[in-house]
Amino acid sequence: MEKIVEQTLLYDFYGELLTERQRQVYATVVLEDYSLSEVAEELGISRQGVHDMIKRCNRALEEYEDKLHLVEKFVHIREKVREIHKLTRKYNACDIEAISNEILEEL
């Protein structure tokens, strides 16, 4: 999985477990693509401080995933539903296709 996609999924699943300050910094740098310098200046901390916080956040999010495996399960379920969706097109099963579409939208 591409690193930015992985980071985004980890944040989506476990971001609420970070402190408010960690969420603010992580979202700004990783999700909004601000530079470390921009965030450091805005928050009045050093660039190294921002870098260290991002590393700590990444480590914490990865540790949550290692214990809970929610992202792994999500990705696996999404793949299986996509397979179902492809099969329904092949066999023209419109009802099943509609249900698989609903599930994919919810995921």
Side-chain angles (χ1 to χ4, degrees):
M1 191 175 345
E2 191 177 323
K3 186 67 176 172
I4 191 68
V5 173
E6 181 181 350
Q7 287 177 309
T8 302
L9 283 172
L10 288 171
Y11 184 80
D12 286 347
F13 277 86
Y14 307 114
E16 289 298 315
L17 299 173
L18 300 174
T19 67
E20 179 62 36
R21 178 89 159 173
Q22 287 174 324
R23 283 194 306 270
Q24 177 187 18
V25 171
Y26 193 85
T28 305
V29 172
V30 175
L31 305 179
E32 298 173 22
D33 202 29
Y34 281 63
S35 72
L36 299 178
S37 299
E38 290 172 315
V39 174
E41 185 177 321
E42 182 179 315
L43 298 177
I45 59 178
S46 70
R47 184 186 174 286
Q48 185 64 44
V50 174
H51 178 265
D52 291 345
M53 186 177 294
I54 296 299
K55 286 187 71 115
R56 279 194 306 274
C57 290
N58 278 330
R59 193 170 327 128
L61 295 172
E62 288 168 3
E63 286 174 5
Y64 293 135
E65 176 60 14
D66 287 343
K67 291 175 183 165
L68 301 171
H69 306 285
L70 296 177
V71 173
E72 179 184 329
K73 290 174 186 173
F74 168 79
V75 170
H76 180 73
I77 290 169
R78 186 176 60 186
E79 261 320 296
K80 292 298 179 188
V81 172
R82 284 185 175 149
E83 287 177 33
I84 290 169
H85 187 72
K86 288 177 187 174
L87 287 172
T88 60
R89 286 185 179 175
K90 182 178 179 182
Y91 295 106
N92 200 22
C94 296
D95 293 340
I96 297 171
E97 183 177 6
I99 293 169
S100 68
N101 278 333
E102 287 178 35
I103 293 170
L104 283 171
E105 287 176 18
E106 289 179 25
L107 292 175

